[in-house]
Amino acid sequence: MSTETQNDGDDLEDRVANFLRRNFPQIQMHGGSAAIQDLDRETGEVTIALGGACSGCGISPMTIQAIKSRMVKEIPEIEKVNAHTGMEGEADMGGGGGMSPSFPGETVDDDGDADEGPEAPF
């Protein structure tokens, strides 16, 4: 009987992974990744981590919102979706602990203040 429960759980994890691949192919096409970090079958709560190019991407908050709203509609067992890119300062997305993106010409001084980049010659 426990084998049957385990198979049901694997099926749910497969359906979540397939949902991400099928509905959000642009994540991989743009160099990002989406991975299931945690899946609580009892509460119906899943945590998704977006990585790669998603960290620092300006539209990743919109991608996260789309995942959250569509997954609960398409997979009845899922009650709540937590998703994050691992970027620090992500309010309400469960983030934290990631690296900030860097931009050409941007440096950080020894005191931790960001440099505004190269100065214009005039």
Side-chain angles (χ1 to χ4, degrees):
M1 192 171 224
S2 64
T3 305
E4 186 176 315
T5 304
Q6 183 64 33
N7 288 341
D8 289 343
D10 290 343
D11 178 54
L12 180 58
E13 191 168 337
D14 289 344
R15 286 188 291 145
V16 169
N18 288 333
F19 166 85
L20 291 168
R21 273 194 299 274
R22 187 178 67 252
N23 290 293
F24 298 94
Q26 68 274 24
I27 291 173
Q28 281 191 318
M29 289 188 311
H30 294 158
S33 63
I36 301 167
Q37 266 192 327
D38 187 46
L39 177 60
D40 188 333
R41 291 164 183 86
E42 288 183 25
T43 64
E45 191 168 343
V46 64
T47 301
I48 307 293
L50 299 181
C54 292
S55 294
C57 176
I59 64 167
S60 62
M62 289 181 278
T63 302
I64 288 170
Q65 285 307 110
I67 290 170
K68 287 180 174 185
S69 65
R70 291 171 61 184
M71 188 180 293
V72 295
K73 291 177 184 173
E74 190 168 319
I75 304 174
E77 295 90 339
I78 300 298
E79 298 288 328
K80 181 177 181 185
V81 178
N82 301 305
H84 61 87
T85 61
M87 295 292 297
E88 290 184 39
E90 279 184 321
D92 158 71
M93 289 181 213
M99 291 182 59
S100 297
S102 61
F103 301 98
E106 179 183 55
T107 59
V108 177
D109 295 335
D110 290 338
D111 61 1
D113 293 334
D115 183 8
E116 293 183 21
E119 290 185 28
F122 47 90

